[in-house]
Amino acid sequence: SMLLGITFMIAITNQRVVTSDLLRSDLEDKARMGMEKITDDLRYAATEFLNPTLLNLQSGASELEFQKVDSCNSTTGAPEYSTLIEFTTRPMDGEILGDSIDNNGNGLTDESKLVRIQDGKTTIIRNNIDKIEFLATKVSDNRYNLKVSLTLQGVDTVHDNAIIAVSLADSIY
């Protein structure tokens, strides 16, 4: 019976590890897909239309407005720009940001969703955002590196409601 107890305890421990690993893997996939959506747009951003500007982004920002090059004029070859695009966060449904309370009962506090807004249309990029940051680093006189950092969080509801966070970063320019 002692051997049975040890075997049972090992099985429970392994189940916890597998459950946490599955949640972490799911969060990593979601973070990667969210990052791809962001960088796909920013890869063609016209730096002169960034708000905040690259200079101000050296302090970091949690939201960003920009226009991207959509095409080139077939006659003049001049770039043609998109309408304004904004990446920003909004509180998750039922959540009140800044109060450190789990208002919507999902096990997370003060989580938000990352949205993309263009032409009045709001598209949710990712839910359960803990943090998003756009940070510019000056590489040379006229060249900047724009780093996007994204942190998602989830709750391991199977065991102890542990909060698991996954961070991902990518650089553009």
Side-chain angles (χ1 to χ4, degrees):
S1 93
M2 179 69 135
L3 183 58
L4 182 61
I6 292 171
T7 304
F8 182 67
M9 189 170 74
I10 291 171
I12 288 176
T13 302
N14 285 341
Q15 183 182 6
R16 283 185 179 178
V17 169
V18 168
T19 303
S20 295
D21 285 348
L22 287 173
L23 176 58
R24 183 174 307 283
S25 178
D26 182 55
L27 287 172
E28 287 171 354
D29 287 345
K30 288 178 179 176
R32 201 172 357 272
M33 288 185 289
M35 187 64 76
E36 285 175 8
K37 290 178 181 179
I38 296 167
T39 56
D40 282 351
D41 269 341
L42 287 176
R43 202 169 315 287
Y44 302 103
T47 56
E48 63 270 26
F49 296 120
L50 286 176
N51 182 24
T53 64
L54 283 170
L55 182 64
N56 291 333
L57 279 172
Q58 291 182 76
S59 301
S62 60
E63 56 185 39
L64 185 67
E65 293 179 344
F66 62 98
Q67 288 177 272
K68 64 180 183 175
V69 177
D70 267 348
S71 61
C72 289
N73 183 296
S74 60
T75 306
T76 66
E80 295 179 345
Y81 301 101
S82 70
T83 56
L84 189 68
I85 299 169
E86 178 182 9
F87 285 119
T88 189
T89 56
R90 299 284 187 259
M92 288 292 294
D93 295 341
E95 195 64 48
I96 299 169
L97 297 181
D99 66 358
S100 300
I101 297 173
D102 178 17
N103 305 104
N104 58 6
N106 68 352
L108 302 172
T109 58
D110 294 341
E111 75 278 12
S112 57
K113 53 189 166 191
L114 176 65
V115 297
R116 179 189 188 273
I117 303 169
Q118 184 178 20
D119 297 327
K121 180 183 176 196
T122 301
T123 304
I124 298 172
I125 301 295
R126 268 302 135 227
N127 288 319
N128 298 329
I129 300 292
D130 181 46
K131 183 179 180 183
I132 176 89
E133 183 178 45
F134 301 95
L135 179 67
T137 306
K138 193 170 187 173
V139 178
S140 63
D141 283 346
N142 294 321
R143 187 158 182 248
Y144 287 84
N145 182 36
L146 181 60
K147 180 180 176 185
V148 181
S149 301
L150 178 65
T151 303
L152 300 182
Q153 54 187 352
V155 178
D156 184 350
T157 56
V158 176
H159 302 98
D160 304 328
N161 290 328
I163 295 175
I164 295 177
V166 170
S167 296
L168 189 63
D170 199 356
S171 294
I172 305 157
Y173 296 141

